[in-house]
Amino acid sequence: MQYEMGEYDIIVVGAGHAGCEAGLAAARMGKRTLVLSMQLEAIALMACNPSIGGTGKGHLVREIDALGGQMGLAIDSSVIQSKMLNSSKGPAVQSLRTQADKPTYQMAMKQALERQKNLDLKQGEVSGLIGEVFPSSGEPSEMSNYGIRVTGVILTTGASYRAKAVVLATGTFLRSRIFIGENNFSSGPNGLAPALELTDCLQEWGLKMRRFKTGTPARIAGRSLNYDKMIEQPGDSRIVPFSFMNEELEKKQVSCWLTYTNETTHQVIRDNLQRSALFGGQIEGVGPRYCPSIEDKVHRFADKEKHQIFIEPEGLNTDEKYIQGMSTSLPEDVQVQFYQTIAGLENAEIVRPAYAIEYDCIDPLDLKLNLEHQKIAGLFCAGQINGSSGYEEAAAQGLMAGANAVLAIEGKEPFVLDRSEAYIGVLIDDLVTKGTDEPYRIMTSRAEYRLSLRQDNADLRLTEKAWEIGLISEERRHKFLKRREQTETERLRLENTMLKPDQINPFLAALEEAPVHTKISLAGLLKRAAVTYENLASIDPDRPDLSVHVIKTVEVDIKYQGYIEKQEQQIRRFKKLEERKIPEEIDYTNLSGLRIEAQQKLQHIRPASIGQASRISGVSPADINVLLVHLEQRRRQKNG
Amino acid sequence: MTDETIAAISTAYGEAGIGIIRISGEQAGFLLDQLFRPASEGPVPTDCARQLRYGTIIDPAIDQAVDEVLAVFMPAPATYTREDTAEIYCHGGLIPQRKILELVCRAGARPAEAGEFTRRAFMNGRIDLSQAEAVIDLIKAKTDESFSMAYDQMAGRLFQKVQTVREQLMHVLVHLAASLDFSDEDIEFISPTEIDCVLAEVIDQLEQLLATAHTGRILREGLKVAIAGRPNVGKSSLLNTLLRENRAIVTDIPGTTRDTIEEILDLGGLPICLIDTAGIRDTGDKIEKLGIEKSQAAFRGADLILFMVDGSQGLEPADLSIAWEIAAKAVIGLVNKTDLDQKIDLSKINQILPTVEFLSVSLKENRGVDLLETAIRDFIYGGAVRTSVHPMVSNQRHISLIEQAVEAARQARLELANKQTPDMIEVDIRECWSKLGEITGETVHEDIIDEVFARFCLGK
């Protein structure tokens, strides 16, 4: 028996990392928003590793923060260890990674949702969507993509809620199945219930579903470990905050521990390979290459004598430890056996066994760049349902989907970041344009313009844009403007402060740098490899007191000016093609001169611009030329 | 795509009396001003739009005149492409045309794709709608052509070679990508020294390829050979002998130097353009300044000079002055009339041309001509370079891409020496890799990521 329970502007299905950001973004933009979670205790659950950030991922967190999202603030409030990765490898690839106290992170996120104006948080499982035929009135467009429009959701209780747009952020819950050795059973992650009904509805609506796989290692009781046999991995001496709202974080940090597998470990694994769900063939889903199970590592990299294992705390108030590097679908008894071959883990007590999980997801090629489904108006998708993996990737899509759902129901231009503006742009463009055959993870190598897309300048790149669509609070806006002004002032000060050789040369001599013979600016000195903003302090006593964020940006902008300018030129060229828009209603099957493969790909992916079209695999430069000619032809026909 | 400036030879291959190099795009005027030097004082072409200017094209690298030309700059939009356009009218021979195109490309233009001027004209509203289909056909034909080109044997070898170089770069890129993106993993380290070694090796290989550009061009367009020698040493006999023995393909083609005649002959499959300078020296006034200038011009345009002396007589001052003129060129020496008593002493000439080998021939008795033919062939293949096994670059687009790749690799080495951080160095290495990828048609950076996962054991 169905019953009406209310009406919202936006409904978000799922309250994981994507769902939370989607709900918050929509509500912050002033829309009445409902966030539905199957289990309110599981909001923003970190179902796998207890850390946020890392290479590429850290960039995403900074960008989410710059766009007014919550992830950066939540992790800053729950950080128990902070590390700047790649600090010697250059500013573009420096990435922050922090260990989190998982329960604190979850509570911080739940609280943010509960306190958010316009946002209701409810427990409930969505079993289906409600929709209507579209266009219901007016002239159908030249080539009508939209047969249906989503108008609400139905819950397993029979309750229904109406909405103008729905964001699906179902994570790994759709028809999920857990595999441990020869055994498998229907279950969501971490013992939570799976969502068994929604997939059927999505398939009825014509969505093509796929099956992906991921996994998580065992959790082990800390009291059973011998830390004397492992190598301590402390955090950096100073915690660098993720959020641009925080300048300083004073917190006690805890260590992680490093140990290694050995030949005995590998032998146990090899002896039991046939008992693995992965090798036994029970798993049909595609798993990620960058996150292989230990049996996969041993099998594929047989000549490697050892693999590193990190022991990471799950939180401050729990003894559970996450065994990074050891995800597996081997049976629990084998898990005990091989974990115990590892130095320091001889007496390891498994608290929760490792498992692999399979779940339904869609093909992201079916989405538009605003994350709306091509064929169903008002239906947005974010996170693992789109074939991505990772908390940060999910949160980034969630925020963008939430914001775009609002813009769509207001009839406004979508909020799309391109590949030169943000890692978020790279992430979404990759998913929507190139698609993915495994759970997709962001990497700095995926970003062509990474010298410009640094974590230190995420706010300078994005906050203004987010302000324009209503994602940014007054407080953040104020802080941002101040930070931008300070950055500019400090850069000018460094460029205009000239020092004489006798003021500089002792400083240079101490760094074993060649002396100067003429006056030179502080900025000029900073360009030298051995000179940093920090060590420059000794000859720059009158410098103002500035935040880490300001200092970092000024330093990098000056130090790498030449490279950054070169990159900006490339970006200008790139933008020209992105700005050549392709009309939505174009029918590629009628375009002569395109090769068949290109025709099919273009018809499926429906790129928004010539730039996007050129990135589709199977679309050649000649096809692009043909497309350009057709577009011009069209334009003239319209005008003539 | 449309913001680049493009250039191409717009006249049909090698048949016309004049050649036209057309440049279109924002930089067209700038490029022309850079390369064109007016014959008399006056404004640069961009300052006198739509006026045909007379002058020379200069190779700025060596500050030398390449050809005398007429040039014009035409600002947008009243041009064929509706973009700024420059046109250079040079001599019709392939060599000056190619040389000028090469200079234009080196200065910043990109060789145009087939049909690209027309496509731009259409895109910019110049051509009417009915012609659009024709443009599409043109693009399509171009794809088919490059498709078949990939199967061409010589191109195939070039692609293979470029592919090998790219694999070396890929090795570095993959290690860099893995170490930057998976810094926690215990990945084997690639040291700056190792990167530098690979880059040095890459540059070396690419430069070898560029060196073959010379041979590749000769194979496509013919070797320009000039015959030098004072009157009556037997220049005309040599010309006639060569022509008689080797099927002439075309005759009486007006050459790049107006006072000479080009004969094209086929020397064992190799096209040779023989520049007959006979008319120059035999005008009578041997030390006349004009005569020397004319012969010098002919020699300058030649790839190879056949320098002939009379073995039956002693050296004359004219022999020596010619030797001085050609001292900087590739020369094959010939001692003719060896059927008569030999009076010649080559020691003075050997001082001027120490590396030149002299072959003994008798044109009258038709002796030694085979030696000459072998020597010419050896010259073309440069000894080590052999068409049968080595790839050759002959396409202007390929040459310019390889040059850019070398430049990027050099930049990367420079930054390595400056202890620049790996994320920056990677930019130049990737640039080098992707420029080469434009030759083989595969610049997809997913390659690197796929390779990272194939090679390293990564992940939590």
Side-chain angles (χ1 to χ4, degrees), chain A residues 55 86 89-92 97 289-290 292 297 300-301 308 325 444-445 450 560 563 566 576 592 625 636, chain B residues 3 119 122 125 127 179-181 183-185 415 420 423-424 426 428 450 453 456-460:
Chain A
T55 39
N86 281 339
K89 290 176 184 166
R97 190 192 56 206
R289 286 172 298 177
Y290 49 82
K297 292 186 191 181
R300 282 179 53 217
F301 298 91
Q308 58 180 16
T444 69
S445 346
R450 69 178 177 200
Y560 302 97
Y563 271 97
K566 216 182 332 177
K576 281 203 171 173
S592 63
N625 279 332
R636 288 197 208 174
Chain B
D3 64 334
R119 182 171 70 75
F122 174 74
I127 297 177
S179 75
L180 295 176
D181 265 318
S183 53
D184 270 5
E185 310 280 342
E415 295 298 345
Q420 185 55 275
D423 59 343
M424 305 287 160
E426 195 259 9
D428 290 315
D450 287 343
F453 291 130
F456 300 107
C457 182
L458 302 162
K460 48 192 183 180

Side-chain angles (χ1 to χ4, degrees), chain A residues 505-543:
Chain A
N505 284 339
F507 164 77
L508 288 177
L511 293 172
E512 297 181 356
E513 282 275 310
V516 292
H517 304 292
T518 52
K519 276 167 85 176
I520 183 170
S521 68
L522 287 170
L525 282 173
L526 195 48
K527 286 193 159 83
R528 295 199 179 198
V531 180
T532 63
Y533 188 85
E534 202 181 335
N535 65 25
L536 205 54
S538 64
I539 51 169
D540 181 25
D542 303 326
R543 58 170 54 175

